[in-house]
Amino acid sequence: MAAVYQATDVILGRTVALKLFRNDSLDDSSGAERQSGEVALLASLNHFALVTLFDVGTAVIDGSARTFIVMEFIDGPDLRSQIAGGPLSAAEVAEMGADLAEALHYVHSQGIIHRDIKPANVLLAPSSFPGRISHAKLADFGIARLLDEARLTATGTLIGTASYLSPEQALGAAIGPPSDVYSFGLVLLECLTGERAYPGTAIESATARLQRQPEIPATLGRDWVNLLGAMTSREAADRPSASDAAVALRALASAGAGAADDATQLMPTGASDATALLATDAATALLPVSSPASALPSSDASAETVVLGRVQSPQDSDDTAARTTPGTGRPSRGGRRKWVPIILVVAAVVIGILAFVLLQRPSGPEATPPSYPAVEGPLGTHLQELQKSVEP
């Protein structure tokens, strides 16, 4: 349909990609509509995972009017050449796939389907972000069409690449966003395995998907198998939306793209964080009481053990073992003998304190001297002297 050139924007001084349409790429009845349609679509789309459109126009070349579009230049390979070097890592595929799925969700929300998702239409732009090699960008909307729009091509014309066609495309039936999701699932599967799911000639490849599901290796992990199986379901209604696929792929990327254990990945939100906290801060965790002496750690000098509800340092482990009967955890007879003098001393101290307190208590109330009636004269004087002589 067109040839793409690397060119220079002499006004802004930047490198661009120039796509020049061929006059004979389409018949006269649909060529102009197809070209103007692509330009309109690209001009209306704006997403970080889509190739950006800069300019459009028409130029007269060799006496013929030629439509061209000026696009963002991606100074990197396409996904097809990357896969040729072998399967990609699951983490890389999950990260890249999440970006592309978000782009598809955006495109579908605009009422547009791509129709030709394949590795050659995924460009890898170099990334300067630490830990990331490239950013994936979806290109070539030349055969995209608006949903529910009248067909621009002649009846019976098949649009798309045979190896990545959805079953409904292969049957020539009406298509929608699920068709893009199916093709995208095959692309992700090829990234992980390094092989096309439906190789062979165009006819063999197109008809094979009508007879069998793509083979998804169990070694990819349960999450990948479930996701790719759903995306490549033969029934369009059973496939997830592009947004659902983006969420699942982002979760795979966050979880290490399937490298973690399935049980950890299936924990409810927050469980993984709690597990990590317990693993990294074991010194402050409460440990169960370990009664057998053999359960006490002996090889790790930095570990702490809990004995009878208190934290015990390793230096006390030998003493604890000596004071317990092997295999029972009960105090040995030698340990009991050591407690006898201590108990006697404590008892003596308690008895002495009690005796001291009792001796200090008064024996009874103080006696009150008797009182007599007053007597006048010498008799009264003698009585007073007698009283004084008998007072203590």
Side-chain angles (χ1 to χ4, degrees), residues 30-31 48 163 198 202 231 242 263 290 305 321-322 331-332 340 351 387:
S30 63
F48 71 90
S163 295
Y198 297 107
M231 293 178 70
S290 177
T305 59
S332 63
V340 173
I351 293 173
Q387 178 65 27

Side-chain angles (χ1 to χ4, degrees), residues 329-364:
R330 296 191 299 270
S332 63
R333 295 180 179 178
R336 293 176 181 175
R337 296 193 191 99
K338 293 180 181 180
W339 286 102
V340 173
I342 298 176
I343 294 174
L344 293 177
V345 171
V346 172
V349 171
V350 171
I351 293 173
I353 293 174
L354 291 175
F356 176 80
V357 172
L358 292 175
L359 291 175
Q360 293 298 320
R361 293 179 59 184
S363 58

Side-chain angles (χ1 to χ4, degrees), residues 97-98 101-102 181 184 188 227 231 240-251:
E102 288 184 13
V181 172
F184 185 45
L188 294 177
L227 176 60
M231 293 178 70
S241 64
S243 61
D244 291 337
V247 171
L249 288 165
R250 193 68 70 190

Side-chain angles (χ1 to χ4, degrees), residues 163-361:
S163 295
Y164 308 97
L165 290 176
S166 65
E168 53 268 29
Q169 280 180 294
L171 291 172
I175 66 171
S179 181
D180 281 346
V181 172
Y182 182 94
S183 301
F184 185 45
L186 293 182
V187 170
L188 294 177
L189 179 59
E190 184 174 342
C191 289
L192 294 169
T193 62
E195 299 178 356
R196 290 187 181 185
Y198 297 107
T201 64
I203 295 179
E204 292 173 344
S205 178
T207 57
R209 74 207 61 233
L210 302 177
Q211 301 173 359
R212 64 175 177 87
Q213 289 289 104
E215 297 179 2
I216 305 174
T219 54
L220 296 179
R222 182 172 58 184
D223 291 333
W224 274 113
V225 171
N226 291 341
L227 176 60
L228 295 178
M231 293 178 70
T232 58
S233 174
R234 205 173 304 178
E235 297 296 329
D238 296 335
R239 300 170 201 156
S241 64
S243 61
D244 291 337
V247 171
L249 288 165
R250 193 68 70 190
L252 280 171
S254 300
D261 183 75
D262 287 340
T264 302
Q265 295 180 16
L266 294 177
M267 284 184 179
T269 304
S272 297
D273 295 339
T275 302
L277 177 62
L278 291 176
T280 56
D281 198 16
T284 60
L286 294 177
L287 302 178
V289 175
S290 177
S291 58
S294 59
L296 300 177
S298 59
S299 58
D300 189 357
S302 62
E304 290 184 346
T305 59
V306 175
V307 179
L308 299 180
R310 68 181 182 90
V311 177
Q312 179 181 358
S313 64
Q315 289 80 0
D316 297 335
S317 298
D318 293 339
D319 294 339
T320 303
R323 292 193 300 268
T324 59
T325 302
T328 64
R330 296 191 299 270
S332 63
R333 295 180 179 178
R336 293 176 181 175
R337 296 193 191 99
K338 293 180 181 180
W339 286 102
V340 173
I342 298 176
I343 294 174
L344 293 177
V345 171
V346 172
V349 171
V350 171
I351 293 173
I353 293 174
L354 291 175
F356 176 80
V357 172
L358 292 175
L359 291 175
Q360 293 298 320
R361 293 179 59 184

Side-chain angles (χ1 to χ4, degrees), residues 1-3 19-23 25-26 34-35 38 142-143:
M1 292 180 59
K19 186 170 187 176
L20 184 64
F21 288 91
R22 295 167 48 187
N23 280 338
S25 60
L26 295 171
R34 181 72 63 80
Q35 293 169 13
E38 178 182 17
I143 56 178

Side-chain angles (χ1 to χ4, degrees), residues 89-111:
S89 68
E92 184 180 359
V93 175
E95 192 74 32
M96 173 190 65
D99 290 348
L100 294 176
E102 288 184 13
L104 279 179
H105 165 69
Y106 168 72
V107 168
H108 293 164
S109 69
Q110 303 299 310

